[in-house]
Amino acid sequence: MAEPIQKKRRQFCFYYARLCNITEAARRAGFDTDCAYEEGVKTLSMPRYRQLVKRLCSETPLSAEAQVRAGLERLAFGQSNDAAYLVCAEELPSPAQLARLDLYNVSELKRVKGGGVEVKFFDRQRALERLYELAAGADNAAAQRELFAAISGSDPGRKEDDDGGA
């Protein structure tokens, strides 16, 4: 049974608020690859969904670190189906077809003698390592705050009163 379009549009909004990429958000929400960008734009043009995106973005604004994390997640966990298609295609796709391909994980494309295509990908292992480092950094920052709170005798989750009293 086909998924209702409203559910896909809501999922698109959640993905878009996190990824800031229309095509990727639409694909992850379940829209067909061939029309993902168009469906994303159509969804964003509807006041109901535009408001949802605005609300989601205001609730969880993307810091620079969150944007880097989202990009690293795409590199580490993204699909390479479109790049495989490009390599296996009998002839090169048209510019319109190329525009619809998700080549985010591709670091280099090169035509080789004989008509083939050479594709180099970003290193998924390196992206995973960077994600781990970001997570470890966040854990270290939390541990540092807890240590400072323990040393100073304050509760790290409690806000201080204006007069400095308890």
Side-chain angles (χ1 to χ4, degrees):
M1 182 174 173
E3 195 171 9
I5 189 76
Q6 293 85 1
K7 185 174 181 181
K8 284 184 182 180
R9 292 194 190 287
R10 284 185 52 78
Q11 287 178 332
F12 165 82
C13 293
F14 287 98
Y15 284 120
Y16 182 73
R18 178 156 186 224
L19 301 171
C20 298
N21 181 293
I22 292 173
T23 304
E24 180 71 13
R27 284 185 181 140
R28 288 191 183 193
F31 287 105
D32 185 60
T33 301
D34 290 337
C35 61
Y37 180 78
E38 292 83 2
E39 287 294 337
V41 169
K42 187 186 295 184
T43 301
L44 288 174
S45 71
M46 297 177 187
R48 169 185 180 186
Y49 298 110
R50 196 170 45 246
Q51 286 292 359
L52 177 57
V53 168
K54 186 176 180 179
R55 182 175 56 85
L56 291 168
C57 288
S58 69
E59 288 173 0
T60 55
L62 281 181
S63 65
E65 183 180 326
Q67 291 176 17
V68 168
R69 183 181 307 276
L72 287 170
E73 286 174 357
R74 283 185 72 195
L75 290 176
F77 305 115
Q79 295 186 2
S80 56
N81 298 0
D82 288 345
Y85 160 75
L86 192 59
V87 169
C88 297
E90 292 290 324
E91 52 189 57
L92 291 176
S94 70
Q97 290 170 315
L98 277 174
R100 288 193 298 266
L101 297 178
D102 179 10
L103 301 174
Y104 189 82
N105 292 351
V106 174
S107 66
E108 186 179 332
L109 281 173
K110 192 184 328 180
R111 288 181 89 174
V112 295
K113 288 184 180 179
V117 176
E118 181 181 317
V119 179
K120 292 184 181 178
F121 294 94
F122 287 104
D123 188 345
R124 288 180 187 258
Q125 180 67 34
R126 180 108 169 102
L128 285 169
E129 289 169 1
R130 296 295 297 148
L131 283 169
Y132 179 78
E133 290 170 9
L134 283 174
D139 291 345
N140 286 342
Q144 290 172 357
R145 284 191 299 275
E146 289 175 15
L147 177 61
F148 179 74
I151 292 171
S152 66
S154 66
D155 179 1
R158 193 187 90 203
K159 301 220 181 216
E160 295 292 324
D161 292 330
D162 288 337
D163 63 4

